[in-house]
Amino acid sequence: MATIGERVVNLRKRAGMSQAELASISGVSASLIRKLEQGSRSDVRLETARKIAAALRVPTTAIITDHVGDQADAETVDHWGAVRRALHGLGDQSGEPPTVDGIRRALDASMPLWRGDKYAELATTLPKLLADTDTLVGTDRSQRFVRSRLLHLTGWLLTQTRQFEAAELALLRGLDDADDLLEAAAIVSTRCWLLLRRGRLEQARQLAIKWADDVEPRISRATPRDLSAWGWLLLRSSAAAVRDNRPGEAEDAIRLARTAAVAMSRDISPGDDFLRTFGPITVAMKRAENAMVEDRPDLVLRMSQAIPTNDLAPTSNNRNRHLLDVADAHRRSRQYGEAFDVLRRIRQDSPEWIVNQGYAKDILKGIFAGRRTLTSDMRDLADFVRLDY
């Protein structure tokens, strides 16, 4: 398989461009393009790959390889080792056999940890919960629901913390136990997000499109569960398309998602499941995310003025991801103080979440590059997120 650098040089030559011309059109430094083509750099961020692809007028998937973003930080891997072992059936199953009702109560009691991004506490409690759930060998509906629900949450959490192989295992196991089509669709949506984070744009796009077609409801009769399942798959399809330099397709998908959101009237969590929270605010945040991918910081800042990011926002994860786009828009507009203030707010609200965000570190590096001096608060945040600079 050709390397990223080999693909870039072949596509560049086919387009009749020099390295300098490609750098000028894409906005990517000539130094980085040269390093990629010479093989001294073997990886690239998805955002950078999209810029190069747009300049060459090819899909992003013509450049990136499947392993983009696969590697997790060693510190994170160690932190989640017990969870991964439990997923493989190697957890501690000693003690009195659990019951379905007992596991359900334990899962319900743990929900504030999931919603509040309490990763350290989840890393401690989740292995035992997974091990207990593995003892449910029956196939009745209540057991399947509990297993599927926990495995979906686990896959979402491991995707968030860059444990991609383990996340794939959890989501596929959860899909096997899914009780109905809409429950399965919610898991598939999370899997599409996992594929996006791994740089597997075409696979994510095709999977989201197929399932969106399968669950498309009649709007006049649709329930919140119907609208959430369909809407989220459309959002995943749009996210994959915009990253793969397919702006028209991305806009079509997000326009349909907005139709579902309008029918929902407000952001709702069907079945009190925060992973399925969907509505107009969620779609607005994802539309702003697309604008950031397309390198339109001015549009992101305008859109953000109409998007609430207080306690009324749908979920902490989607709110924080949107705020990172806002911070990056400020940074690209050379509003470094405003950008840093947004990062500081995210740290205050979700300290364990921001530590796991490579995007946040990149924004902070950009702020530092644009300033002559750093404040003590800036140095403190850099130390907190373990920034290597």
Side-chain angles (χ1 to χ4, degrees), residues 18-310:
S18 66
Q19 289 182 343
E21 287 170 333
L22 177 56
S24 176
I25 295 172
S26 67
V28 175
S29 72
S31 173
L32 176 55
I33 291 172
R34 183 170 58 253
K35 289 177 181 178
L36 286 171
E37 293 191 359
Q38 291 175 346
S40 58
R41 278 283 299 271
S42 60
D43 63 347
V44 66
R45 287 188 61 82
L46 191 58
E47 175 189 346
T48 302
R50 192 203 66 82
K51 289 180 178 180
I52 295 173
L56 295 170
R57 298 188 177 182
V58 298
T60 311
T61 43
I63 292 175
I64 62 173
T65 54
D66 286 346
H67 69 270
V68 172
D70 267 7
Q71 298 301 317
D73 296 335
E75 184 172 348
T76 304
V77 171
D78 292 338
H79 189 58
W80 296 98
V83 174
R84 295 196 314 278
R85 288 193 295 273
L87 263 180
H88 285 277
L90 302 176
D92 180 11
Q93 296 182 357
S94 61
E96 186 176 346
T99 65
V100 176
D101 287 342
I103 294 173
R104 188 194 297 271
R105 286 194 296 270
L107 181 56
D108 289 344
S110 72
M111 290 313 299
L113 302 181
W114 302 92
R115 292 191 182 95
D117 304 312
K118 303 297 183 182
Y119 297 159
E121 292 179 69
L122 284 169
T124 300
T125 60
L126 187 52
K128 178 60 176 172
L129 195 52
L130 285 166
D132 286 350
T133 305
D134 265 352
T135 66
L136 302 178
V137 296
T139 58
D140 67 80
R141 186 171 185 176
S142 62
Q143 292 184 353
R144 289 172 62 88
F145 174 80
V146 170
R147 281 198 303 263
S148 181
R149 175 74 175 128
L150 178 60
L151 288 166
H152 185 190
L153 284 163
T154 301
W156 171 83
L157 176 66
L158 293 173
T159 300
Q160 189 68 263
T161 55
R162 299 178 60 79
Q163 304 302 297
F164 295 148
E165 293 294 341
E168 180 85 3
L169 173 62
L171 293 172
L172 290 177
R173 286 184 57 195
L175 191 59
D176 285 341
D177 273 320
D179 187 59
D180 62 30
L181 181 64
L182 295 182
E183 183 182 339
I187 297 173
V188 168
S189 173
T190 300
R191 185 165 180 243
C192 289
W193 175 49
L194 166 63
L195 292 169
L196 285 168
R197 294 205 69 184
R198 301 183 82 169
R200 298 178 179 175
L201 305 183
E202 181 62 14
Q203 189 178 354
R205 189 175 68 88
Q206 292 290 350
L207 187 63
I209 290 171
K210 176 188 178 301
W211 276 80
D213 288 343
D214 289 345
V215 303
E216 181 177 359
R218 179 178 293 183
I219 296 295
S220 61
R221 300 180 182 177
T223 68
R225 287 185 78 222
D226 295 322
L227 295 168
S228 170
W230 186 51
W232 265 113
L233 289 164
L234 290 167
L235 290 178
R236 302 304 189 199
S237 169
S238 180
V242 76
R243 285 163 174 78
D244 200 20
N245 197 29
R246 302 171 184 265
E249 185 176 324
E251 181 59 29
D252 289 344
I254 210 163
R255 188 182 299 115
L256 286 174
R258 188 174 183 277
T259 299
V262 169
M264 201 90 137
S265 76
R266 60 185 177 86
D267 283 72
I268 296 172
S269 302
D272 196 30
D273 182 350
F274 76 96
L275 293 184
R276 304 189 198 195
T277 303
F278 180 79
I281 299 175
T282 297
V283 172
M285 288 180 174
K286 294 305 178 183
R287 189 181 285 276
E289 183 177 321
N290 281 5
M292 199 71 251
V293 171
E294 293 176 319
D295 199 17
R296 303 180 64 187
D298 55 331
L299 178 58
V300 173
L301 292 177
R302 288 200 304 272
M303 294 172 69
S304 70
Q305 295 176 7
I307 300 176
T309 55
N310 52 24

